């Protein structure tokens, strides 16, 4: 077992027994589950909408190269600069170069999972540059020194009492503040950061190929302030976020809102097509778009698993997953947690190091059921397991055990040997590691074959 797998087992074991953690996350996911059906009512035929969205993303991923080039041509024509980053180091090097050119000492940043993926905050701080999260949930997590817990709701695991205590400890404000008071304090603190920052950093929910723009959707307005106040705007985007046309947004914005938060549409929706133009009164003087690969083309090259690139980062699969709801987001020790994280992380960061995530699943299929673009997540988890074994990542003991299991399963007489009690004793002693983190295997007293023979009348001789 490698160190990543060992850390996952250790953290998940602790969290699974933490009843207070389970209470908090179940409370927040319960509110989500109550809101989502209301948001979905806007779609008369939800299944058709999901299939249409999946087909659009299929077309986008199948023509990713030409669509990204089209995007670059369109947005550079309006003065933006596009940087192609093969990995996190390339992206960070480009950002450092921009920061040096601007004599940057302060950066404001809106919510972006891709910046978490490249560990941007830590990098900027190591260069003496202040990087401030402006999304309230991300700001809470940054104050607490923690990464986001959830793709959409970064501080889902914290109660309002936890946040009040954190603000009192970190900001010196009175304890026991209400959520409204906490929000006002964060607002006052962050407004000062917007006006002082030289650079604003965002991600993008979608890349619009036909018009050369990025689409941002949010509920707090912090992304708009991040792109409006600083003189330089850097958008860091995974290459899979592309949509063929701006005309796809009337489908994808409501779909993302419904599955992400239960809204019909989020409060602030923006399309940014470049820096401030000569006839415009405000906006950044310069805009850079960093198109990040960072392993995505490895996933693209996999004809079976490339479907995972359709993901629109709504977080629905996390909220539906029984494993995530028991062990929480931090146990995964990856940027992307839950079912989608378990599918893509082994391809982005290496199957050998992260194959254990694909095995940490009940395969109940609930993630596939709730995915707005109908990604077959549970089947992709199985595909990862298969690929992992083909690559030789399974142990000799495991291979021998499954060979013995297969041999017994294919021979009826072997399956019928002994009663359920004897089989339980032998198998659970043989597979001790299996029952360390699972309930012991339980065999029926009689096999189906034995029961069938009892029920079927014997032909007269």
């Amino acid at each position: 077992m490698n160190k990543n797998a060992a850390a996952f087992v250790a953290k998940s074991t602790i969290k699974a027994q933490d009843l207070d953690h389970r209470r908090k996350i179940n409370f927040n996911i319960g509110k989500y589950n109550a809101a989502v059906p209301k948001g979905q009512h806007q779609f008369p035929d939800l299944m058709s909408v999901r299939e249409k969205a999946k087909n659009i993303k299929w077309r986008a991923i199948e023509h990713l190269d030409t669509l990204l080039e089209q995007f670059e041509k369109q947005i550079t024509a309006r003065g933006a600069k596009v940087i192609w980053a093969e990995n996190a180091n390339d992206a960070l090097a480009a950002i450092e170069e921009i920061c040096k050119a601007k004599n940057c000492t302060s950066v404001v940043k809106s919510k972006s999972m891709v910046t978490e993926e490249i560990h941007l905050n830590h990098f900027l701080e190591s260069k003496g540059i202040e990087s401030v999260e402006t999304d309230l949930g991300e700001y809470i997590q940054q104050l607490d020194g923690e990464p986001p817990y959830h793709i959409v709701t970064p501080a889902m695991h914290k109660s309002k009492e936890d946040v009040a205590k954190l603000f009192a400890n970190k900001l010196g404000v009175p304890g026991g503040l209400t959520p409204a008071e906490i929000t006002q304090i964060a607002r006052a603190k962050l407004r000062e950061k917007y006006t002082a920052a030289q650079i604003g950093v965002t991600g993008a929910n979608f890349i619009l190929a036909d018009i050369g723009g990025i689409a941002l959707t949010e509920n707090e307005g912090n992304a708009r302030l991040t792109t409006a106040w600083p003189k330089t705007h850097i958008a860091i985007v995974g290459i899979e976020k592309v949509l063929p046309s701006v005309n796809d947004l009337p489908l994808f914005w409501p779909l993302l809102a419904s599955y992400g938060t239960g809204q019909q549409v989020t409060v602030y929706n923006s399309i940014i097509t470049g820096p401030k133009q000569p006839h415009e009164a405000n906006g950044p003087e310069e805009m850079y778009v960093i198109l990040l690969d960072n392993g995505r083309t490895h996933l693209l090259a996999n004809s079976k698993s490339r479907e995972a690139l359709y993901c629109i980062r709504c977080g629905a699969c996390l909220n539906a997953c029984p494993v995530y709801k028991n062990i929480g987001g931090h146990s995964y020790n990856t940027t992307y947690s839950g079912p989608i994280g378990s599918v893509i992380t082994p391809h982005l960061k290496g199957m050998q190091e992260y194959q254990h995530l694909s095995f940490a699943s009940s395969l109940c299929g609930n993630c596939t059921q709730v995915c707005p673009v109908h990604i077959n997540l549970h089947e992709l988890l199985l595909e990862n397991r298969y690929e992992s074994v083909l690559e030789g990542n399974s142990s000799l003991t495991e291979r021998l055990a499954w060979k013995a299991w297969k041999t017994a399963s294919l021979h009826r007489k072997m399956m019928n040997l002994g009663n359920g009690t004897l089989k339980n004793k032998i198998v659970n002693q043989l597979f001790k590691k299996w029952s360390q983190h699972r309930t012991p295997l339980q065999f029926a007293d009689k096999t189906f074959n034995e029961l069938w023979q009892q029920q079927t009348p014997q032909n007269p001789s």
Side-chain angles (χ1 to χ4, degrees):
M1 183 183 294
N2 62 50
K3 63 179 182 180
N4 291 316
F8 174 80
V9 170
K11 290 181 179 180
S12 60
T13 300
I14 293 171
K15 280 299 180 185
Q17 300 175 34
D18 187 341
L19 298 181
D20 185 53
H21 166 266
R22 189 178 302 181
R23 176 185 61 79
K24 292 172 185 175
I25 187 172
N26 285 342
F27 173 79
N28 287 320
I29 290 179
K31 293 174 66 177
Y32 167 87
N33 289 337
V36 167
K38 297 177 182 178
Q40 292 175 343
H41 283 161
Q42 66 182 305
F43 303 111
D45 187 348
L46 186 59
M47 184 57 70
S48 296
V49 168
R50 293 170 67 196
E51 286 300 320
K52 182 178 180 181
K54 182 171 186 174
N55 289 336
I56 291 172
K57 284 300 294 183
W58 171 83
R59 187 166 79 251
I61 296 302
E62 292 298 315
H63 299 89
L64 187 60
D65 53 348
T66 56
L67 290 176
L68 289 174
E69 288 177 353
Q70 182 184 11
F71 164 80
E72 180 183 29
K73 180 180 179 181
Q74 294 287 355
I75 199 167
T76 53
R78 286 187 296 276
K81 300 176 180 66
V82 174
I83 300 169
W84 298 76
E86 184 175 348
N87 51 47
N89 289 335
D90 288 349
L92 294 173
I95 294 167
E96 181 180 12
E97 185 176 342
I98 296 169
C99 288
K100 284 182 178 179
K102 307 302 175 187
N103 295 316
C104 179
T105 59
S106 178
V107 167
V108 285
K109 187 175 154 301
S110 71
K111 187 179 183 304
S112 164
M113 291 305 295
V114 77
T115 59
E116 295 292 336
E117 182 181 335
I118 65 175
H119 304 293
L120 179 60
N121 285 346
H122 177 74
F123 175 79
L124 291 175
E125 289 166 8
S126 71
K127 302 299 178 182
I129 300 171
E130 182 187 36
S131 179
V132 181
E133 296 286 354
T134 61
D135 173 86
L136 181 56
E138 294 276 5
Y139 181 61
I140 290 167
Q141 289 302 95
Q142 187 177 35
L143 284 178
D144 208 13
E146 289 184 340
Y149 179 92
H150 187 280
I151 290 174
V152 174
T153 318
M156 177 185 275
H157 61 308
K158 286 182 168 66
S159 66
K160 60 181 183 294
E161 292 80 12
D162 293 333
V163 178
K165 183 178 179 181
L166 175 67
F167 270 50
N169 291 338
K170 297 293 184 177
L171 301 179
V173 298
L177 298 178
T178 66
E181 291 169 332
I182 290 170
T183 303
Q184 289 302 316
I185 289 170
R187 176 189 177 97
K189 296 282 185 183
L190 292 174
R191 285 299 170 108
E192 297 174 0
K193 301 298 182 180
Y194 287 120
T195 56
Q198 294 86 23
I199 295 176
V201 175
T202 71
N205 296 99
F206 304 106
I207 302 170
L208 307 175
D210 62 338
I211 66 168
I214 65 167
L216 296 169
T217 183
E218 51 165 334
N219 277 316
E220 299 175 15
N222 58 298
R224 283 190 177 178
L225 287 170
T226 298
T227 60
W229 277 103
K231 292 184 177 181
T232 302
H233 172 206
I234 303 175
I236 311 171
V237 196
I239 55 175
E240 82 283 8
K241 292 294 187 73
V242 69
L243 289 178
S245 171
V246 66
N247 295 318
D248 297 322
L249 283 181
L251 171 63
F252 278 90
W253 262 344
L255 196 64
L256 177 56
S258 294
Y259 279 85
T261 59
Q263 297 167 276
Q264 289 192 350
V265 69
T266 47
V267 178
Y268 300 96
N269 296 282
S270 308
I271 298 174
I272 301 173
T273 57
K276 180 175 64 175
Q277 301 299 297
H279 63 280
E280 293 176 337
N282 50 44
E285 295 175 1
E286 289 189 275
M287 179 180 179
Y288 298 84
V289 180
I290 298 177
L291 297 174
L292 181 68
D293 181 342
N294 209 31
R296 286 161 174 80
T297 49
H298 295 309
L299 191 53
L300 180 66
N302 189 313
S303 59
K304 293 184 178 178
S305 297
R306 70 171 57 164
E307 182 181 345
L309 293 173
Y310 303 169
C311 176
I312 60 174
R313 301 291 189 267
C314 68
C317 62
L318 281 68
N319 298 329
C321 178
V323 176
Y324 181 91
K325 286 191 282 189
N326 277 279
I327 68 172
H330 288 156
S331 297
Y332 292 81
N333 202 31
T334 60
T335 302
Y336 306 102
S337 55
I340 186 61
S342 297
V343 168
I344 67 175
T345 302
H347 295 278
L348 299 182
K349 303 183 72 174
M351 185 66 73
Q352 185 174 5
E353 291 296 316
Y354 289 94
Q355 51 118 0
H356 61 277
L357 296 177
S358 301
F359 288 86
S361 168
S362 66
L363 296 177
C364 64
N366 206 22
C367 49
T368 299
Q369 184 66 30
V370 301
C371 177
V373 289
H374 217 283
I375 301 171
N376 292 306
L377 288 163
H378 68 292
E379 293 182 9
L380 296 183
L381 289 168
L382 278 174
E383 179 63 25
N384 278 3
R385 296 182 184 187
Y386 177 68
E387 292 182 17
S388 173
V389 172
L390 286 184
E391 291 180 12
N393 293 322
S394 58
S395 66
L396 177 61
T397 304
E398 183 181 354
R399 291 195 296 272
L400 290 174
W402 282 115
K403 187 174 182 179
W405 185 278
K406 178 182 178 181
T407 301
S409 299
L410 292 176
H411 293 81
R412 178 51 54 196
K413 289 183 179 179
M414 293 181 68
M415 288 294 290
N416 289 346
L417 286 174
N419 57 29
T421 302
L422 180 62
K423 290 174 183 175
N424 289 337
K425 185 175 181 180
I426 293 174
V427 172
N428 286 312
Q429 285 184 351
L430 188 62
F431 298 102
K432 288 183 178 179
K433 287 188 176 180
W434 175 274
S435 57
Q436 282 181 354
H437 300 284
R438 304 174 181 88
T439 55
L441 294 170
Q442 294 291 328
F443 288 85
D445 288 336
K446 294 182 179 181
T447 66
F448 175 81
N449 176 256
E450 291 173 318
L451 293 172
W452 180 265
Q453 289 177 356
Q454 289 178 358
Q455 294 295 324
T456 304
Q458 298 297 317
N459 292 326
S461 56

